[in-house]
Amino acid sequence: DVQLQASGGGLVQAGGSLRLACAASGLTSDDFAIGWWRQAPGKEREGVSCFSSSDGKTYYADSVKGRFTISSDNAAKAAYLQMNSLKPEDTATYYCAVARGSSSWCLVGEHYGMDYWGKGTQVTVSS
């Protein structure tokens, strides 16, 4: 049974940094895709960043490019999202998700095909 352990998030002032972590326990596939989606009140879910272990490729939403960095620990089936230069518009609930095997959807920021979802983590950026 696959479970996702998500951590990180919190309250930070604009310009500050936060780090999110997500680890998939019980995931037996050698390859996987892992990433974060976020949803703010009244807005649609948005793909933030995703990593594909099969080829090491990553996806970043245009709104976070240059500020957020995704990294992974493939052996631990885990990923980390370093979020720098945070803006109030980054405020949202962030959800990590994992797909067994590779996922082309992950690399375009779409949630289709992500098999497991973690509990949301609140990120609040004050102005």
Side-chain angles (χ1 to χ4, degrees):
D1 194 24
V2 176
Q3 292 188 338
L4 299 187
Q5 290 84 42
S7 61
L11 172 64
V12 66
Q13 288 187 331
S17 299
L18 287 172
R19 186 177 189 241
L20 303 182
C22 181
S25 61
L27 186 66
T28 58
S29 58
D30 290 337
D31 293 325
F32 61 97
I34 187 167
W36 279 267
W37 280 254
R38 67 186 181 187
Q39 189 164 21
K43 294 189 177 181
E44 294 187 355
R45 178 169 41 184
E46 172 191 25
V48 178
S49 183
C50 201
F51 169 82
S52 174
S53 74
S54 61
D55 52 17
K57 292 184 178 180
T58 57
Y59 163 83
Y60 293 99
D62 287 343
S63 59
V64 307
K65 283 180 181 177
R67 300 188 297 122
F68 291 12
T69 303
I70 192 169
S71 59
S72 72
D73 180 342
N74 288 359
K77 305 288 197 304
Y80 309 92
L81 186 68
Q82 180 65 41
M83 305 185 293
N84 297 330
S85 302
L86 282 161
K87 303 176 181 180
E89 50 263 44
D90 294 317
T91 296
T93 301
Y94 285 67
Y95 299 90
C96 81
V98 169
R100 298 184 301 267
S102 60
S103 171
S104 56
W105 288 113
C106 160
L107 295 178
V108 294
E110 293 291 347
H111 66 279
Y112 310 115
M114 303 308 284
D115 299 304
Y116 306 98
W117 290 83
K119 294 180 180 179
T121 298
Q122 181 64 36
V123 171
T124 303
V125 185
S126 63
S127 57

